[in-house]
Amino acid sequence: MTVITRTGLARLQEFAKAGGKVIFVGKTPTLVLDKTFMDAKEKPDLSFATLIESSGDITPAVIAALPRPDVKLDSAFLSPDLHPSKVRRRRHVLLLQ
């Protein structure tokens, strides 16, 4: 069982409403958390998500749902400090579980 806070869910919904892409990969939240886990009973509405990939893999569908990159880095210039997992984009969120 996984949970998402009501605040976090609202922020993701606002982000999607403003044109951002929300992609869930793996497990999705099954309950919405308010103040305590005892009160977490409501199932979250994830209909705002661009894609839900339940397999947990970065599939071709996930890649296709991502926006085109702003820049492309030559692998010869990549360093451990510039790992792709540390690069953030402004118009989408990729949640990995």
Side-chain angles (χ1 to χ4, degrees):
M1 182 177 315
T2 58
V3 297
I4 188 169
T5 64
R6 186 165 308 281
T7 303
L9 181 63
R11 287 181 180 164
L12 289 174
Q13 290 169 333
E14 289 173 23
F15 182 75
K17 191 174 183 178
K21 293 186 176 190
V22 179
I23 300 170
F24 289 92
V25 178
K27 295 179 184 178
T28 56
T30 55
L31 295 172
V32 177
L33 175 67
D34 277 314
K35 294 183 180 183
T36 69
F37 282 95
M38 300 286 290
D39 298 328
K41 294 182 173 85
E42 178 186 343
K43 184 174 179 167
D45 175 14
L46 304 178
S47 62
F48 63 90
T50 303
L51 177 70
I52 297 175
E53 177 55 62
S54 59
S55 72
D57 296 326
I58 304 298
T59 62
V62 172
I63 300 299
L66 294 172
R68 296 185 68 156
D70 297 326
V71 295
K72 184 175 180 180
L73 300 175
D74 185 337
S75 61
F77 293 105
L78 288 180
S79 72
D81 295 332
L82 190 59
H83 189 273
S85 66
K86 295 180 183 177
V87 177
R88 296 182 184 238
R89 294 184 50 96
R90 290 174 280 150
R91 300 297 297 183
H92 75 273
V93 174
L94 178 63
L95 299 176
L96 301 175
Q97 196 65 9

